[in-house]
Each structure stands twice: as C-alpha cells, then as structure tokens.
Amino acid sequence: MKINFNTLIEKFNRWDIKLRYAVFGVILLLIFLLDYGTIMGFQSRSLQRMENANQTLKADIDKLKADLQRRDQMNKGLTNSQNQLQAMNMKIHSTQEVSAVLAEISQTANETGLTIDRLIPQPQGQQELISTPDIKYYALPIVVEANSSYHTFGHFLNQLELDKILFILKSLDIQNQDNDISHLSIHATLGVILSDKRPDGHKT
C-alpha cells in the first residue's frame, strides 16, 4: 500500500490549529516515552550488571578474608605443633644415654624430696613403639622403689615429665607402712621413651 504524504499533510493543515498542536504534542510525547524507556532500560540493565559484579566482588573479598584467617590459624597451629614436637624431642634420649636418664631421675627425686631406695633399668623388657625410615622409638622399663607421701611422689612425676624425660607410667603400687601416710612404700615402673639416635643426631 502506497502512502501519499502530501495528501496527509494537506489534511493535517486543514485541521484546527489547536488540534494540530495536540497531535504534535502527542507525537513528541510518544517519542520522549520511547526514548526514555530505551535509555532507562539500558541504564537499568547496566545497573543490574554493576550490582551483580559488586556482589561477586564482595563474595570474593569475603572468601579471601576467610581464607587468610584460616591460613593464619593454620600457621599458628603448625607453629604450636612444631614447638611441642621440638620440646618433646628434647626429652627423648638416646638408647646410649640410659645412665644419663637414671641420673636425671635421681636429680629430680632429690629436688622434689623423694627418697629413692632402688632405681633399676630393665633392658630385657625394652619394647619397640614405633619405627620410621629415619628413627626407631623404644620404651625402656625403669623400676623405681621409693618412700614418700602421695603429694611428693605426684610432684616428682610432674617435674620429671615437664623438665627431664618422656615416659609412660606403666605400673604403680603404693603400700601404707605403719599407718604413716607421709612414708608410703612406692613401687612404680616408668616406660621411658628412647630413640636409636646417638646424642650427635646420627643413628646408632
């Protein structure tokens, strides 16, 4: 269908001036609304994309902060474990240092007021605890026969474990003599942890 614009213009010019202004105003309004809708739609989509990008960035930042916090906690835990392992290794003597272990037990007994009657290592009862390609660990039974109170003997064990050697209390027998709780007869077996490394750090 062919549209004759000249005819339309002539008809439009014959309309009342107010009607022509009204039609012209409606046309301008439609153009404005169409343009406004297009711009606003574009801006709305742009804002939505920016909001999505901001949310993604915020989530990434929060994840990074959490990862950094976990890393710091892991580093602290690792450092603490390394310090504990180092402190424990300092209390593990070589199988060649049994006499030094006995001397440390005797010294701790003197420091805590424990009276030791006999201190007997039992190498025939030594047991292998764990083995790695680099080192083996053993538990050497050492019998402690002593006289003291409950408190003194407990203090002796605590100081021995804290400062001197690593051990397991394998057995404990306490008997009351003459109803005197300050002079109990104590028979204990300590499983002292030793390794097969020499004091210079090499394997025996």
Side-chain angles (χ1 to χ4, degrees), residues 35-190:
D35 185 59
Y36 180 79
T38 303
I39 293 174
M40 287 301 295
F42 175 76
Q43 290 181 342
S44 177
R45 289 190 295 272
S46 298
L47 290 174
Q48 185 62 43
R49 285 195 296 269
M50 290 176 63
E51 177 65 20
N52 292 338
N54 286 336
Q55 291 294 333
T56 302
L57 180 60
K58 183 177 181 300
D60 290 342
I61 291 174
D62 291 341
K63 184 177 182 298
L64 178 60
K65 289 180 178 179
D67 290 342
L68 289 174
Q69 186 176 7
R70 281 196 296 269
R71 188 191 69 176
D72 291 340
Q73 292 174 347
M74 290 175 63
N75 287 338
K76 289 179 181 178
L78 179 60
T79 300
N80 185 47
S81 297
Q82 289 174 337
N83 292 337
Q84 290 179 351
L85 180 61
Q86 184 178 5
M88 184 180 69
N89 283 332
M90 291 178 64
K91 294 189 287 187
I92 297 178
H93 295 264
S94 165
T95 52
Q96 296 181 339
E97 297 180 290
V98 175
S99 59
V101 170
L102 297 176
E104 288 178 348
I105 293 175
S106 297
Q107 180 182 349
T108 304
N110 291 332
E111 292 172 352
T112 56
L114 178 72
T115 302
I116 291 182
D117 298 326
R118 289 203 304 172
L119 199 58
I120 312 167
Q122 296 181 326
Q124 71 278 4
Q126 180 171 287
Q127 296 178 334
E128 182 176 327
L129 297 178
I130 188 171
S131 177
T132 71
D134 299 324
I135 190 170
K136 293 181 180 179
Y137 294 94
Y138 303 90
L140 173 65
I142 296 179
V143 175
V144 179
E145 295 181 357
N147 286 280
S148 75
S149 64
Y150 285 111
H151 175 76
T152 300
F153 186 70
H155 183 49
F156 160 76
L157 291 179
N158 184 59
Q159 286 301 117
L160 194 63
E161 184 177 22
L162 287 176
D163 302 330
K164 303 293 185 179
I165 62 176
L166 188 65
F167 66 91
I168 304 167
L169 184 61
K170 302 187 71 172
S171 67
L172 176 62
D173 180 49
I174 299 177
Q175 295 182 3
N176 192 344
Q177 294 181 340
D178 301 326
N179 295 322
D180 185 359
I181 61 173
S182 63
H183 293 86
L184 302 172
S185 177
I186 298 172
H187 186 281
T189 302
L190 308 181

